[in-house]
Structure formats: structure tokens, C-alpha cells
Amino acid sequence: KLINQEFVSTAMAIIFEHRFVTDPKAMDEWAQVLKRTKLLDAGVSVAMPMLSPELDLTEVVQAIMKFCSNDLCILSGKGPGAARALDAAAKGGTDATVAACLLFAPEPPAPERCG
């Protein structure tokens, strides 16, 4: 629920992180990332979906963007989440425009679509 009905989101950042369930420090780590990158200050909304290996991230991105009525997104992740964010960006298939992909400690190798 919005506190201020005048809030306007400039974009949606979707963070792919597999550790939210197993590592309580993961949320604190991402809070620091958001603070230092100033995404929230720029009016970017943030979604941190719980991930499982069988999820199609294209569908996750579409569902989040539809729910938020936004068409501009930034995909981000760390470690395995970085690889999944990059793969989702390269795959496309959503109505949203992927404006950026912020990767933190991605695992090699890069997906073939990016080569």
C-alpha cells in the first residue's frame, strides 16, 4: 500500500538472489547495495522475489512488471543470481525494457547468448 499517492516509480529493479531463504545476512547486504547505488533515491522500486531453480525468470519478470504497471526494469543479482539475471536479460521475451543489468560477483562462464 502506498503511503503517498503521488509516488512515481521511475523504474523497477528486480534482484535475483538465492540466499534470502538460507542466509539472513543477504537482505542486509542488498540493503547496503541499494543505499550505495542510490537506486531508491532515484525513484526506482525494488522487487526481491524468492527464487527456485525451476522458475522461468522471464515469467517472474513479466509478473512483477505487470503488477507494478511499469515497463522499464533493471535486473540484478549476485553469484548464481547474477548469472540468472544476465540470462533473463539476454533471453528477452517480456514486454518490459531491460535498461540495465547490474551484476555482483557473477559466476563464470557468461551465457552463450552474451558471447
Side-chain angles (χ1 to χ4, degrees):
K1 185 173 181 179
L2 292 176
I3 295 172
N4 181 345
Q5 294 298 327
E6 296 177 17
F7 175 79
V8 176
S9 179
T10 57
M12 171 59 71
I14 303 172
I15 298 173
F16 299 120
E17 173 64 75
H18 68 288
R19 298 176 307 144
F20 288 143
V21 175
T22 59
D23 186 355
K25 293 181 181 180
M27 193 65 78
D28 291 334
E29 186 176 290
W30 279 104
Q32 287 300 313
V33 168
L34 293 172
K35 183 178 180 180
R36 291 179 181 165
T37 59
K38 300 194 181 283
L39 288 174
L40 298 176
D41 294 347
V44 176
S45 297
V46 177
M48 298 178 180
M50 295 299 197
L51 298 179
S52 62
E54 66 275 357
L55 279 177
D56 179 350
L57 295 187
T58 302
E59 291 178 10
V60 172
V61 171
Q62 277 185 307
I64 291 169
M65 300 307 288
K66 183 178 179 182
F67 180 79
C68 297
S69 301
N70 209 322
D71 60 358
L72 185 65
C73 71
I74 299 166
L75 302 181
S76 186
K78 179 180 178 185
R84 293 189 77 187
L86 188 57
D87 190 50
K91 197 183 228 183
T94 69
D95 295 334
T97 300
V98 177
C101 199
L102 304 175
L103 309 176
F104 300 93
E107 292 183 336
E112 286 184 30
R113 292 183 183 101
C114 298

